[in-house]
Amino acid sequence: LRGRSVDARAKLAVHGTQGEGDVRLQLGKSRIEAKGKVGDRLDVDATLQPLHLSDLLPGASGSLAGTLQLRGTPTQPDISANLHGDGLQWDDWKAASVSLDGHLPWRGDNGALQLRASAVQAGLLLDQLHIDARGSVQDLHLDADAHNPLGALALAGSVRQTGAAWRGELAALRVAPAKG
């Protein structure tokens, strides 16, 4: 595949709308393992040891390593992650480093998920980006801050699902421009 070696082993089964499998893929220098069930319920464990973006996407670079777990339903998943990336680039999107650590359930109040990134270029350059999510997707509390040469931005807020409606609150906002 584009001059890269490929070694894949998979055991897959589909029963109506339910599927389960165990997949091991070696593509170039990338190693990916995933196992679990998908369908009405999710129970998926994936490990990247590491994943080199250039092995999957022409013109991409950098690597991503760690684990990702999805539980629950496809529309209401619980997410657990311990992912770390370095030198990520795809088209105009870049990040010198990225980490996503923690567990965020769809329901409940005991989740904590942290995103940390540096030298992010995603339409706007961010020297540092920190996002802390607590609670659950349905009752989410966020603290975020970003810095670049133009200044700093920090915010705190929450988003809550009540029935079919979503409501949010911005509890704090701090804008500190470098000039002005």
Side-chain angles (χ1 to χ4, degrees):
L1 184 64
R2 292 184 287 120
R4 290 167 170 79
S5 63
V6 176
D7 182 18
R9 294 183 180 99
K11 181 180 178 183
L12 304 170
V14 178
H15 310 283
T17 60
Q18 297 295 116
E20 67 180 281
D22 188 350
V23 177
R24 296 170 196 257
L25 173 65
Q26 179 179 335
L27 175 59
K29 295 180 181 178
S30 296
R31 310 243 181 313
I32 304 166
E33 294 183 16
K35 64 180 177 178
K37 299 176 183 181
V38 295
D40 297 340
R41 303 277 314 158
L42 291 175
D43 186 5
V44 177
D45 293 302
T47 303
L48 310 175
Q49 302 179 343
L51 167 63
H52 296 280
L53 295 185
S54 60
D55 288 335
L56 291 182
L57 303 166
S61 61
S63 63
L64 190 61
T67 60
L68 178 66
Q69 296 176 330
L70 300 173
R71 304 281 189 265
T73 68
T75 58
Q76 299 178 348
D78 294 352
I79 301 165
S80 294
N82 181 4
L83 294 171
H84 304 277
D86 292 302
L88 303 176
Q89 180 176 354
W90 182 52
D91 289 336
D92 295 334
W93 297 67
K94 300 177 186 178
S97 67
V98 173
S99 69
L100 182 64
D101 288 302
H103 172 73
L104 194 63
W106 186 266
R107 292 183 176 94
D109 61 1
N110 62 344
L113 188 68
Q114 297 82 36
L115 172 68
R116 302 286 184 262
S118 67
V120 176
Q121 179 68 48
L124 176 67
L125 174 64
L126 300 174
D127 294 333
Q128 296 289 323
L129 173 65
H130 299 154
I131 300 174
D132 293 320
R134 295 174 317 284
S136 66
V137 175
Q138 284 188 323
D139 188 11
L140 189 62
H141 302 274
L142 288 172
D143 291 303
D145 63 82
H147 307 274
N148 73 11
L150 299 175
L153 171 72
L155 64 87
S158 61
V159 177
R160 182 180 187 92
Q161 182 183 23
T162 306
W166 289 85
R167 299 188 194 284
E169 175 185 300
L170 182 60
L173 175 64
R174 180 178 171 267
V175 179
K179 293 182 181 180

